[in-house]
Amino acid sequence: MVETRRQKEARERLENSAAVVEEKSPNGLNNTERSNANAGKAQTSLAKEGEISKKANVRTPKRSIIGFSLLCIISYIMWPEGGLYVEPGTGAITRKHVWYYGWITAVSTGLGVVPLLFVRDVGQLDKFYIGMSNAVASGMMMSASFSLIMEGMTFADPLDHSEVSCSVRTLIGIAIGLVFIFGTKKFLDEHEDIHMDDVTGADAKKILLIIIVMTLHSFSEGVGIGVSFGGENGDKLGMFISASLAVHNIPEGLAVAVVLLPRGIAKLTAANWCIFTSLPQPLMAVPAFMFVNTFIPILPIGLGFAGGAMAWVAVTELLVEAYEDTDLITTASLTSIAAATMLYLQESLHKI
């Protein structure tokens, strides 16, 4: 069939239209591909903005408010009759006094969140600042681990009649702590569905591991409170040890908070978790006070256990992650400063 002039013009117009549609853009994409790419970028951007907004606007769960209210009620109900202070040498210290001194040390851990209350949108921090937080937490925990281990090795009490030296008992505790925390981490790695509030995956495992370690180390500190009240010059020594631990627990609470808050945990929830990690202190202080002769020989083992577990997590978890998210100089500097500050604080308390 012979193509007419009008049919030829129509065919050329159709071919030109198709050529315009398939025309390549400067980056090598045609109009359809460019539209799809732009849509994909928009979706990715919206997803990132949604994730940032979700972390920046963390809501405090009702259970956290209830938990904090319960802590306040317990603090009021358990206040000892006649006040907290007891004249040294009178022997008027009761189990309720010992429990409440341990309770004060536990509650003081929650004050570690206070410096971060002035940081807006902690959950919006990028990886570099989260790495800095991990470096600070690692330095504090390594310093606390060193102090616990040294206290165990140099422990001395007239009521300690064990034939095994304190150094050996402390080393045994360190070995048990390392085995325990290694087993705990292996268990967490085998369970992918672990979550805390809205935090899931690796972040949830990291948070849970820190809480477990900090809670375990509080058992030995609780025994230390009870033993100090039950030993010689218990009235005066117990109050001093409790006051020292209360101050010592504040930076430990900060170490927990800088791990929790950047991962999307609400500030009040973080404060509750900080206090939770120290609850073994009042719980262990009373039985240690009542059965001081039984608890004194095992105290170095408990100190070694806590020190070993904390050191393992501080080095293999927090320090490694800090280096991955920042750089060698930043990690080394912040870790060293945090550790040195913590050691200085501890030494200052011992000299009082």
Short mmCIF file of all heavy atoms in Angstrom, two decimals, residues 280-314:
data_model
loop_
_atom_site.label_atom_id
_atom_site.label_comp_id
_atom_site.label_asym_id
_atom_site.label_seq_id
_atom_site.Cartn_x
_atom_site.Cartn_y
_atom_site.Cartn_z
N PRO A 280 20.13 -4.26 93.95
CA PRO A 280 20.74 -5.30 94.80
C PRO A 280 21.48 -4.75 96.02
O PRO A 280 21.72 -5.51 96.98
CB PRO A 280 21.71 -6.02 93.85
CG PRO A 280 21.12 -5.82 92.50
CD PRO A 280 20.53 -4.44 92.53
N GLN A 281 21.82 -3.49 96.01
CA GLN A 281 22.56 -2.93 97.14
C GLN A 281 21.73 -2.95 98.43
O GLN A 281 22.20 -3.48 99.45
CB GLN A 281 23.06 -1.52 96.79
CG GLN A 281 24.12 -1.56 95.70
CD GLN A 281 24.56 -0.18 95.24
OE1 GLN A 281 24.25 0.82 95.86
NE2 GLN A 281 25.28 -0.14 94.13
N PRO A 282 20.51 -2.40 98.46
CA PRO A 282 19.73 -2.53 99.70
C PRO A 282 19.29 -3.96 99.97
O PRO A 282 19.17 -4.37 101.14
CB PRO A 282 18.53 -1.60 99.47
CG PRO A 282 18.40 -1.49 97.99
CD PRO A 282 19.81 -1.55 97.48
N LEU A 283 19.04 -4.73 98.90
CA LEU A 283 18.57 -6.10 99.09
C LEU A 283 19.65 -7.00 99.69
O LEU A 283 19.34 -7.92 100.47
CB LEU A 283 18.10 -6.67 97.74
CG LEU A 283 16.90 -5.97 97.09
CD1 LEU A 283 16.58 -6.61 95.76
CD2 LEU A 283 15.69 -6.00 98.01
N MET A 284 20.89 -6.77 99.33
CA MET A 284 21.99 -7.59 99.85
C MET A 284 22.57 -7.03 101.14
O MET A 284 23.23 -7.76 101.90
CB MET A 284 23.09 -7.72 98.80
CG MET A 284 22.70 -8.50 97.57
SD MET A 284 22.17 -10.18 97.94
CE MET A 284 23.66 -10.87 98.66
N ALA A 285 22.37 -5.75 101.40
CA ALA A 285 22.96 -5.13 102.59
C ALA A 285 22.40 -5.74 103.87
O ALA A 285 23.15 -5.97 104.82
CB ALA A 285 22.70 -3.62 102.56
N VAL A 286 21.10 -6.00 103.90
CA VAL A 286 20.47 -6.51 105.13
C VAL A 286 20.96 -7.91 105.48
O VAL A 286 21.39 -8.15 106.63
CB VAL A 286 18.93 -6.47 105.01
CG1 VAL A 286 18.29 -7.12 106.22
CG2 VAL A 286 18.45 -5.03 104.87
N PRO A 287 20.92 -8.91 104.57
CA PRO A 287 21.43 -10.23 104.95
C PRO A 287 22.92 -10.22 105.27
O PRO A 287 23.38 -10.96 106.15
CB PRO A 287 21.14 -11.11 103.73
CG PRO A 287 20.87 -10.17 102.61
CD PRO A 287 20.32 -8.94 103.22
N ALA A 288 23.70 -9.37 104.57
CA ALA A 288 25.13 -9.27 104.89
C ALA A 288 25.34 -8.70 106.28
O ALA A 288 26.28 -9.08 106.99
CB ALA A 288 25.84 -8.41 103.84
N PHE A 289 24.49 -7.76 106.68
CA PHE A 289 24.56 -7.17 108.02
C PHE A 289 24.18 -8.21 109.08
O PHE A 289 24.80 -8.29 110.14
CB PHE A 289 23.62 -5.96 108.09
CG PHE A 289 23.40 -5.41 109.45
CD1 PHE A 289 24.42 -4.74 110.12
CD2 PHE A 289 22.18 -5.55 110.09
CE1 PHE A 289 24.23 -4.23 111.40
CE2 PHE A 289 21.97 -5.04 111.36
CZ PHE A 289 22.99 -4.38 112.01
N MET A 290 23.18 -9.03 108.79
CA MET A 290 22.70 -10.02 109.75
C MET A 290 23.66 -11.21 109.90
O MET A 290 23.82 -11.75 110.98
CB MET A 290 21.31 -10.52 109.33
CG MET A 290 20.23 -9.45 109.35
SD MET A 290 18.67 -10.04 108.63
CE MET A 290 18.28 -11.40 109.75
N PHE A 291 24.30 -11.58 108.79
CA PHE A 291 25.20 -12.74 108.81
C PHE A 291 26.58 -12.33 108.32
O PHE A 291 27.10 -12.88 107.36
CB PHE A 291 24.62 -13.85 107.92
CG PHE A 291 23.20 -14.21 108.25
CD1 PHE A 291 22.15 -13.75 107.46
CD2 PHE A 291 22.91 -15.01 109.34
CE1 PHE A 291 20.83 -14.08 107.76
CE2 PHE A 291 21.60 -15.35 109.65
CZ PHE A 291 20.56 -14.88 108.86
N VAL A 292 27.14 -11.34 108.99
CA VAL A 292 28.39 -10.75 108.55
C VAL A 292 29.52 -11.77 108.49
O VAL A 292 30.35 -11.73 107.58
CB VAL A 292 28.76 -9.56 109.47
CG1 VAL A 292 28.98 -10.00 110.90
CG2 VAL A 292 29.97 -8.82 108.92
N ASN A 293 29.58 -12.70 109.43
CA ASN A 293 30.66 -13.69 109.43
C ASN A 293 30.62 -14.60 108.20
O ASN A 293 31.65 -15.12 107.76
CB ASN A 293 30.59 -14.55 110.69
CG ASN A 293 30.95 -13.75 111.94
OD1 ASN A 293 31.75 -12.81 111.87
ND2 ASN A 293 30.35 -14.09 113.07
N THR A 294 29.41 -14.79 107.66
CA THR A 294 29.26 -15.64 106.47
C THR A 294 29.64 -14.89 105.21
O THR A 294 30.25 -15.46 104.29
CB THR A 294 27.81 -16.14 106.36
OG1 THR A 294 27.47 -16.85 107.55
CG2 THR A 294 27.63 -17.04 105.15
N PHE A 295 29.30 -13.63 105.14
CA PHE A 295 29.50 -12.87 103.91
C PHE A 295 30.91 -12.31 103.75
O PHE A 295 31.35 -12.08 102.62
CB PHE A 295 28.48 -11.71 103.84
CG PHE A 295 27.13 -12.14 103.35
CD1 PHE A 295 26.16 -12.59 104.23
CD2 PHE A 295 26.83 -12.13 102.01
CE1 PHE A 295 24.91 -12.99 103.79
CE2 PHE A 295 25.58 -12.52 101.54
CZ PHE A 295 24.62 -12.96 102.45
N ILE A 296 31.62 -12.06 104.83
CA ILE A 296 32.95 -11.46 104.72
C ILE A 296 33.90 -12.29 103.87
O ILE A 296 34.59 -11.75 102.98
CB ILE A 296 33.53 -11.19 106.12
CG1 ILE A 296 32.92 -9.91 106.69
CG2 ILE A 296 35.05 -11.06 106.07
CD1 ILE A 296 33.45 -9.54 108.06
N PRO A 297 34.00 -13.61 104.05
CA PRO A 297 34.95 -14.39 103.25
C PRO A 297 34.65 -14.39 101.74
O PRO A 297 35.57 -14.53 100.93
CB PRO A 297 34.84 -15.81 103.83
CG PRO A 297 34.31 -15.61 105.21
CD PRO A 297 33.38 -14.45 105.09
N ILE A 298 33.38 -14.23 101.36
CA ILE A 298 33.05 -14.29 99.94
C ILE A 298 33.05 -12.92 99.27
O ILE A 298 32.86 -12.82 98.05
CB ILE A 298 31.68 -14.96 99.72
CG1 ILE A 298 30.55 -14.10 100.32
CG2 ILE A 298 31.66 -16.37 100.28
CD1 ILE A 298 29.16 -14.62 100.02
N LEU A 299 33.26 -11.86 100.05
CA LEU A 299 33.24 -10.51 99.48
C LEU A 299 34.30 -10.33 98.40
O LEU A 299 33.99 -9.77 97.33
CB LEU A 299 33.40 -9.46 100.58
CG LEU A 299 33.32 -8.00 100.11
CD1 LEU A 299 32.01 -7.73 99.38
CD2 LEU A 299 33.46 -7.05 101.30
N PRO A 300 35.57 -10.78 98.57
CA PRO A 300 36.55 -10.63 97.48
C PRO A 300 36.12 -11.33 96.20
O PRO A 300 36.41 -10.85 95.09
CB PRO A 300 37.82 -11.24 98.07
CG PRO A 300 37.66 -11.10 99.54
CD PRO A 300 36.20 -11.30 99.80
N ILE A 301 35.46 -12.47 96.33
CA ILE A 301 34.98 -13.19 95.13
C ILE A 301 33.93 -12.34 94.40
O ILE A 301 33.95 -12.21 93.17
CB ILE A 301 34.39 -14.56 95.52
CG1 ILE A 301 35.46 -15.44 96.16
CG2 ILE A 301 33.79 -15.25 94.30
CD1 ILE A 301 34.94 -16.78 96.65
N GLY A 302 33.02 -11.75 95.18
CA GLY A 302 32.00 -10.90 94.58
C GLY A 302 32.58 -9.67 93.90
O GLY A 302 32.14 -9.28 92.81
N LEU A 303 33.59 -9.07 94.53
CA LEU A 303 34.23 -7.90 93.92
C LEU A 303 34.94 -8.28 92.63
O LEU A 303 34.89 -7.55 91.63
CB LEU A 303 35.22 -7.29 94.92
CG LEU A 303 34.60 -6.65 96.16
CD1 LEU A 303 35.67 -6.29 97.18
CD2 LEU A 303 33.79 -5.40 95.79
N GLY A 304 35.62 -9.43 92.63
CA GLY A 304 36.29 -9.89 91.42
C GLY A 304 35.30 -10.22 90.32
O GLY A 304 35.52 -9.90 89.14
N PHE A 305 34.19 -10.87 90.68
CA PHE A 305 33.14 -11.20 89.72
C PHE A 305 32.63 -9.94 89.04
O PHE A 305 32.53 -9.86 87.80
CB PHE A 305 32.01 -11.91 90.45
CG PHE A 305 30.85 -12.28 89.56
CD1 PHE A 305 30.77 -13.54 89.00
CD2 PHE A 305 29.83 -11.37 89.31
CE1 PHE A 305 29.69 -13.88 88.18
CE2 PHE A 305 28.76 -11.71 88.51
CZ PHE A 305 28.68 -12.97 87.94
N ALA A 306 32.30 -8.92 89.84
CA ALA A 306 31.77 -7.67 89.29
C ALA A 306 32.80 -6.96 88.43
O ALA A 306 32.49 -6.47 87.33
CB ALA A 306 31.32 -6.76 90.43
N GLY A 307 34.05 -6.90 88.91
CA GLY A 307 35.10 -6.22 88.15
C GLY A 307 35.39 -6.90 86.83
O GLY A 307 35.55 -6.23 85.80
N GLY A 308 35.46 -8.22 86.82
CA GLY A 308 35.73 -8.94 85.59
C GLY A 308 34.64 -8.77 84.56
O GLY A 308 34.90 -8.55 83.37
N ALA A 309 33.38 -8.88 84.99
CA ALA A 309 32.25 -8.74 84.07
C ALA A 309 32.18 -7.33 83.47
O ALA A 309 31.98 -7.16 82.26
CB ALA A 309 30.94 -9.07 84.79
N MET A 310 32.38 -6.32 84.32
CA MET A 310 32.32 -4.94 83.83
C MET A 310 33.45 -4.65 82.86
O MET A 310 33.26 -3.99 81.84
CB MET A 310 32.38 -3.97 85.02
CG MET A 310 31.11 -3.91 85.82
SD MET A 310 31.22 -2.73 87.19
CE MET A 310 31.35 -1.19 86.30
N ALA A 311 34.66 -5.15 83.16
CA ALA A 311 35.81 -4.90 82.28
C ALA A 311 35.58 -5.54 80.92
O ALA A 311 35.91 -4.95 79.88
CB ALA A 311 37.08 -5.45 82.93
N TRP A 312 35.03 -6.74 80.91
CA TRP A 312 34.80 -7.44 79.65
C TRP A 312 33.85 -6.66 78.75
O TRP A 312 34.11 -6.47 77.56
CB TRP A 312 34.22 -8.83 79.94
CG TRP A 312 34.24 -9.76 78.77
CD1 TRP A 312 35.22 -10.63 78.41
CD2 TRP A 312 33.20 -9.91 77.79
NE1 TRP A 312 34.86 -11.32 77.28
CE2 TRP A 312 33.62 -10.90 76.88
CE3 TRP A 312 31.96 -9.31 77.61
CZ2 TRP A 312 32.85 -11.30 75.79
CZ3 TRP A 312 31.18 -9.70 76.51
CH2 TRP A 312 31.63 -10.69 75.63
N VAL A 313 32.74 -6.19 79.31
CA VAL A 313 31.77 -5.44 78.52
C VAL A 313 32.34 -4.09 78.10
O VAL A 313 32.15 -3.64 76.96
CB VAL A 313 30.46 -5.25 79.33
CG1 VAL A 313 29.51 -4.30 78.61
CG2 VAL A 313 29.79 -6.59 79.55
N ALA A 314 33.05 -3.42 79.00
CA ALA A 314 33.61 -2.11 78.69
C ALA A 314 34.57 -2.16 77.52
O ALA A 314 34.55 -1.28 76.64
CB ALA A 314 34.31 -1.53 79.92
#
